[in-house]
Amino acid sequence: MNGEAIGTMAGALTIAIASDHAGPELKAQIAAQLRDLGHTVLDLGTDGSASVDYPTYADAVAAALADGRAALGVLICGTGIGISIAANRHRHVRAALCHSPTDARLTRLHNDANVLVLGARTTGIEVVKDIVATFFATPFEGGRHARRVAMLG
């Protein structure tokens, strides 16, 4: 999907979500919130606390975006840093680690971020809920930002 179509946030979207071993609990809470917002959730794992490699899950969400199974994504690891680095290796991914609703709003408005990244060990659930609500309600502003976003891919 292009930024304009995603940016309108019209109707329900399919959102791919994945985490490493630090995030299954938070992932489940976010998935429930997304469903409550009317979206379809494509859960790509992991579901337990056994140690796994975060790049595997970043790659899974990137693949879901590339092949059209999902319009947007959510990734979670302990801090959000490692998994965002892994996700941004993919040219079509614009993964943004957000710590506040302001981060979420601005990354959608200005960067047309298509993957929200969260730190399970660094951000409390109430803030996460606000971040998720803001990220998925904010359209891409386009205009002068469109040229810059085009330079990323």
Side-chain angles (χ1 to χ4, degrees):
M1 280 188 134
N2 64 32
E4 214 170 277
I6 292 170
T8 63
M9 297 295 171
L13 300 171
T14 297
I15 300 167
I17 187 169
S19 72
D20 73 358
H21 53 276
E25 206 172 291
L26 182 60
K27 179 173 63 81
Q29 292 176 309
I30 293 168
Q33 180 183 1
L34 292 170
R35 287 184 191 102
D36 288 347
L37 291 171
H39 301 296
T40 300
V41 176
L42 176 62
D43 187 336
L44 300 172
T46 192
D47 295 321
S49 60
S51 183
V52 296
D53 300 320
Y54 58 81
T56 301
Y57 296 92
D59 291 349
V61 168
L65 294 176
D67 68 19
R69 287 180 290 145
L72 297 171
V74 177
L75 287 168
I76 305 156
C77 72
T79 63
I81 297 168
I83 208 162
S84 64
I85 291 169
N88 280 317
R89 293 179 306 134
H90 300 274
R91 291 187 63 82
H92 66 284
V93 172
R94 292 175 306 283
L97 174 57
C98 295
H99 296 287
S100 72
T102 300
D103 292 346
R105 183 175 60 80
L106 291 173
T107 199
R108 285 291 303 135
L109 282 172
H110 296 174
N111 309 119
D112 196 20
N114 57 1
V115 176
L116 171 62
V117 183
L118 297 160
R121 297 177 179 144
T122 61
T123 309
I125 186 60
E126 294 306 318
V127 174
V128 165
K129 288 178 184 178
D130 290 343
I131 290 168
V132 169
T134 301
F135 187 90
F136 291 100
T138 304
F140 178 47
E141 192 172 65
R144 64 189 165 106
H145 304 292
R147 182 183 80 251
R148 298 169 186 147
V149 170
M151 294 171 75
L152 299 174

